[in-house]
Amino acid sequence: MTDWCVIAAVNDEDVLATNLAASPMLLENPERLITLRDYLTAGSAYNAGIARTTARICIFVHQDVYLPAGWDTRLASRIAELDALDPTWAVAGPFGINADGDHCGRVWTTGLGREIGTSPTAPIPAQSFDELLLILNRDSRLEFDPDLPSFHLYGTDIAQIALAAEKGVYVIDAPVVHNSRPVVTLKGGFEDALTYLRRKWRRRLPIRTPVTYVTRFGTKHLIQRMRMRDWPKSKKASPRPDVSKRNPEEIAKHLGYE
């Protein structure tokens, strides 16, 4: 796969340097990393990133995500699968919610201190994504909504944009290490984004996201906010890696991601 770029909104240079920028595929191709700073919304940042590249495959990644060695080769295989399965596909990601409302995909999250999910054997039709990593096929001509507040729920929004345009949306087998911090609240900017999506997609509700629900009145979100994250546990039993140093390379090797 040669026609790709990685796009990241950055507000912490140390986190970027020790995670995303330390990924082997970016150490080998630093010119393919587009970093964006000082944007007010994810949509405005990512659209600016799209405007700065001609690459067909745009990979939008959190600054605290590590792409394991060989991830670009794995992704090339997944892209070939998507192209063969659904030439109209628009968006893909390693973790999200399938069409039936269930979690699917496989990633490591340091914020939860464990691996979540299992590897899909084939692309799975999806309705929303975790924002840790999104893959956009620029042939779809889709863009992010710059008016969606803050940096939350844009994985759900771009999935719904694609589905409304009758383009494919899939979770794929492309595990990564998300060296995240624990989520302590679903208030503030998150609820601003949720309120926006409730209005925007009122004709398509309810929609399940990886962490909550977008419903007409928001009742299910209030319940979920009290319970916090209803993440699935990995069905693959394995010793828990030592995450005390938050070394993404060690975690990736331990889990067999590289």
Side-chain angles (χ1 to χ4, degrees):
M1 184 178 68
T2 58
D3 194 17
W4 60 270
C5 71
V6 171
I7 299 172
V10 175
N11 65 1
D12 190 315
E13 302 299 332
D14 290 337
V15 170
L16 173 69
T18 55
N19 291 279
L20 182 58
S23 303
M25 62 185 278
L26 291 175
L27 291 176
E28 296 173 3
N29 303 277
E31 75 283 357
R32 294 180 185 264
L33 174 59
I34 298 173
T35 55
L36 305 143
R37 296 165 177 81
D38 301 323
Y39 285 83
L40 296 179
T41 69
S44 59
Y46 286 166
N47 288 343
I50 293 172
R52 288 172 54 180
T53 182
T54 60
R56 177 194 174 212
I57 303 300
C58 295
I59 308 161
F60 301 91
V61 194
H62 283 184
Q63 63 190 0
D64 58 0
V65 166
Y66 173 79
L67 308 175
W71 194 83
D72 49 341
T73 301
R74 183 192 293 263
L75 180 61
S77 297
R78 301 293 86 81
I79 297 300
E81 290 175 358
L82 288 173
D83 287 342
L85 174 69
D86 181 359
T88 71
W89 77 273
V91 192
F95 195 83
I97 299 294
N98 67 16
D100 294 326
D102 301 319
H103 289 91
C104 55
R106 177 190 178 200
V107 296
W108 167 268
T109 166
T110 302
L112 295 178
R114 60 184 170 92
E115 184 183 48
I116 54 175
T118 57
S119 292
T121 57
I124 300 173
Q127 62 174 289
S128 65
F129 296 103
D130 188 293
E131 287 79 19
L132 82 163
L133 189 151
L134 300 170
I135 302 156
L136 178 69
N137 178 2
R138 288 183 80 240
D139 289 348
S140 69
R141 300 182 182 277
L142 298 185
E143 291 189 339
F144 292 85
D145 182 348
D147 296 323
L148 175 63
S150 69
F151 284 76
H152 299 284
L153 294 171
Y154 57 87
T156 297
D157 188 53
I158 193 65
Q160 292 300 313
I161 290 171
L163 291 171
E166 299 185 343
K167 298 182 183 295
V169 177
Y170 297 92
V171 168
I172 58 173
D173 178 27
V176 297
V177 174
H178 190 195
N179 223 346
S180 57
R181 294 181 173 85
V183 174
V184 296
T185 181
L186 295 180
K187 298 181 180 181
F190 189 97
E191 286 198 332
D192 291 341
L194 186 69
T195 299
Y196 182 91
L197 291 191
R198 190 179 296 127
R199 293 195 302 265
K200 179 176 180 179
W201 298 113
R202 60 188 179 276
R203 296 184 184 276
R204 300 178 70 90
L205 300 180
I207 301 168
R208 186 173 185 184
T209 84
V211 298
T212 191
Y213 300 82
V214 186
T215 59
R216 183 178 179 185
F217 299 109
T219 305
K220 292 193 75 172
H221 169 67
L222 293 176
I223 295 172
Q224 187 69 4
R225 195 176 73 186
M226 289 186 289
R227 296 191 324 186
M228 289 304 294
R229 294 195 168 199
D230 183 22
W231 290 105
K233 293 185 177 180
S234 175
K235 296 179 181 178
K236 176 185 176 183
S238 61
R240 178 184 174 192
D242 179 5
V243 299
S244 60
K245 295 184 179 180
R246 301 169 64 91
N247 185 312
E249 183 178 2
E250 291 180 5
I251 295 171
K253 289 180 177 178
H254 178 91
L255 295 171
Y257 292 179
E258 61 177 37

